[in-house]
Amino acid sequence: MKTYLRKIVAFINDEEAAAAIEYALLVALIALAIVAGATTLGHKIGTMFTNAAKRLPAGTAS
């Protein structure tokens, strides 16, 4: 019975799994922020190039 109790106490005191989960959540949040920023920046750059192309004279586009 004591061995089971020791194993349960050791499992409760083990914090490595919790730290790994926290790091995984942090990495996922950073990746989400990068994707959101890249998407927003991509749309803005696309709009900028579209506006620049509209301002060019008709004969210069190939």
Side-chain angles (χ1 to χ4, degrees):
M1 183 70 171
K2 289 184 180 182
T3 57
Y4 292 118
L5 185 59
R6 286 182 191 154
K7 288 182 181 182
I8 292 172
V9 170
F11 179 76
I12 291 172
N13 290 333
D14 184 20
E15 295 181 7
E16 288 183 20
I21 291 171
E22 290 171 358
Y23 285 127
L25 289 173
L26 186 60
V27 168
L29 183 63
I30 291 170
L32 181 64
I34 290 171
V35 168
T39 302
T40 302
L41 184 62
H43 287 300
K44 288 183 179 183
I45 290 174
T47 302
M48 182 181 70
F49 279 117
T50 301
N51 291 338
K54 288 179 183 178
R55 293 181 185 156
L56 289 174
T60 60
S62 54

